[in-house]
Amino acid sequence: SARACALLVALCLMALAASPAEAFSAPAVVFRGGAMHRATSSLLSQRLPLRQAANLRGGGRATAPKMSTVAGGVGEKLTPATAATLIDSVDVFIFDCDGVIWKGDSLIEGVPAILDKLRAAGKKLFFVTNNSTKSRKGYKSKFDSLGLDVKPEEIFSSSFAAAAYLEQTKFKESGKKVYIIGEVGIQEELDLINVPWIGGEKDKDQKIQLVSGYALPHDEDVGAVIVGFDRNINYYKIQYAQLCINENPGCKFIATNLDAVTHLTDAQEWAGNGSMAGAIKGCTGQDPIVVGKPSPLMIDYLCDKYGLKPDKICMVGDRLDTDIVFGNSNGCKSVLVLSGVTTMEKYSSPDNKVIATGYADAITSFYD
């Protein structure tokens, strides 16, 4: 069931991110009778609360979290004078990355000092991104390159979430392989769990010669197509994916996220993974299984690992439909920052029904 799958994904996230030493290694987990064991330990004594996995398009495979709102206009605008109450009320901050910590390859000014102050105040910090182009290891390198001291186990990407989903559904045991529309991040995460894959960056230069009588051959052993952000998407990849999904019995269609736009540079917004996933939905008629935000699995993991209540967690992001829904729908506090894709005009529009606990120009508004 969807509820059982959500439980197992959350437990898998816990296993994969258990410690710095294990952060980039394949998880040693086995499933026996529906419960998860460490390969070298006894059955976990506590289970996470059951939740339904997120599927934004309502494809019948999972139920989307409600677009929860917070009453009271657009919430409180946070400034250094008003943010203290919110900061004191939570133990954990979960930050989106693009549009919150950086834009493209440029660090947002003042971010390092804010993160340092939050850590000094005893807050736990986690960084969750729907961008699948890098693995956790790749994102660690990006944090390092920007001068940010972030531990591997504090990083969660949608490429990691896709691998965790395959792990908890025992995909490897099916003997099938994955076709990837995406970049190196998904490839590296699948390599860590020893799931065979084809496509990805290897197909970036593939072309189709449309001549009379030609039919593109495809691998009938593909049991899942993962669609992540792909700057080299082409017609070959789209056709190959639709053949696998439409013609291979039981082939899963998995999307790392459905973000409409993303930040590749700090100069403008660029089409996001929603455009890639939309192309595959358009030619297959199927809705994807979405593994990135606003899935509740990260909240379940944090609450179990640290003994937290959701109202002690604050989600900080720049997207209403993923970041703020992620926080609100799971009982957390939420802060919308206007340093990314959402403008004040859009946020305050009567058409917008997703309201954060508070909003700020950027996370630099948290402290002087």
Side-chain angles (χ1 to χ4, degrees):
S1 69
R3 290 169 66 86
C5 283
L7 165 66
L8 291 174
V9 173
L11 290 172
C12 188
L13 286 170
M14 179 180 68
L16 284 166
S19 69
E22 298 172 72
F24 297 143
S25 61
V29 294
V30 293
F31 292 84
R32 297 173 182 168
M36 186 185 79
H37 292 253
R38 289 276 188 161
T40 58
S41 67
S42 60
L43 176 65
L44 291 172
S45 60
Q46 294 183 345
R47 297 194 181 197
L48 299 178
L50 290 170
R51 297 178 184 265
Q52 292 183 326
N55 182 347
L56 295 183
R57 299 305 185 203
R61 302 181 186 179
T63 302
K66 295 179 180 179
M67 291 290 195
S68 302
T69 63
V70 175
V74 293
E76 181 182 16
K77 182 171 184 180
L78 300 180
T79 66
T82 62
T85 300
L86 173 68
I87 294 171
D88 291 343
S89 71
V90 297
D91 299 323
V92 174
F93 281 89
I94 303 176
F95 291 100
D96 179 46
C97 295
D98 295 325
V100 179
I101 304 299
W102 59 65
K103 284 187 177 181
D105 290 324
S106 300
L107 183 67
I108 294 176
E109 186 177 359
V111 163
I114 297 301
L115 299 182
D116 288 344
K117 289 180 179 180
L118 288 172
R119 291 188 191 279
K123 309 304 176 182
K124 297 182 184 298
L125 308 184
F126 294 92
F127 302 86
V128 181
T129 175
N130 268 354
N131 191 328
S132 63
T133 59
K134 295 180 176 65
S135 62
R136 291 165 294 158
K137 184 177 180 179
Y139 273 108
K140 178 67 171 76
S141 296
K142 180 165 185 173
F143 278 105
D144 290 345
S145 71
L146 294 173
L148 297 174
D149 184 16
V150 174
K151 300 174 182 178
E153 66 271 19
E154 295 175 331
I155 303 168
F156 295 86
S157 65
S158 62
S159 53
F160 163 63
Y165 175 81
L166 294 180
E167 182 77 2
Q168 64 89 15
T169 56
K170 302 180 182 179
F171 181 83
K172 182 180 177 181
E173 296 178 13
S174 72
K176 300 289 186 178
K177 63 188 71 170
V178 173
Y179 183 72
I180 297 174
I181 292 179
E183 301 186 16
V184 67
I186 300 172
Q187 298 169 190
E188 289 180 350
E189 293 291 353
L190 295 191
D191 286 342
L192 287 176
I193 61 172
N194 297 314
V195 168
W197 56 269
I198 59 175
E201 294 195 326
K202 295 179 180 179
D203 284 351
K204 67 180 182 179
D205 296 321
Q206 292 279 11
K207 299 184 184 300
I208 297 177
Q209 298 296 325
L210 296 176
V211 296
S212 179
Y214 177 74
L216 179 67
H218 75 283
D219 193 328
E220 296 180 357
D221 286 332
V222 170
V225 173
I226 297 178
V227 180
F229 186 75
D230 191 334
R231 284 167 283 200
N232 296 300
I233 193 169
N234 54 42
Y235 189 64
Y236 175 93
K237 293 182 180 183
I238 294 171
Q239 173 65 1
Y240 202 102
Q242 78 86 7
L243 288 172
C244 293
I245 294 169
N246 284 338
E247 299 188 10
N248 292 359
C251 183
K252 296 179 181 292
F253 171 21
I254 301 167
T256 58
N257 66 84
L258 298 177
D259 292 355
V261 295
T262 188
H263 290 107
L264 300 181
T265 70
D266 58 1
Q268 64 180 181
E269 294 175 356
W270 299 80
N273 194 53
S275 62
M276 287 81 179
I280 305 308
K281 178 180 177 179
C283 60
T284 63
Q286 292 196 29
D287 295 293
I289 299 166
V290 182
V291 296
K293 291 175 295 184
S295 167
L297 302 170
M298 171 55 61
I299 301 298
D300 289 339
Y301 160 73
L302 290 174
C303 288
D304 182 78
K305 183 173 178 63
Y306 297 106
L308 298 174
K309 295 180 179 180
D311 62 3
K312 290 294 185 180
I313 300 172
C314 182
M315 175 66 210
V316 183
D318 67 321
R319 295 178 186 272
L320 294 168
D321 60 346
T322 54
D323 299 324
I324 305 308
V325 170
F326 177 67
N328 291 356
S329 295
N330 292 291
C332 304
K333 295 180 173 64
S334 59
V335 172
L336 175 74
V337 290
L338 304 176
S339 52
V341 301
T342 302
T343 63
M344 191 63 206
E345 180 181 7
K346 178 179 179 180
Y347 183 47
S348 61
S349 167
D351 295 331
N352 173 44
K353 306 302 180 185
V354 181
I355 306 300
T357 307
Y359 70 97
D361 292 329
I363 68 169
T364 50
S365 298
F366 285 7
Y367 291 102
D368 287 319

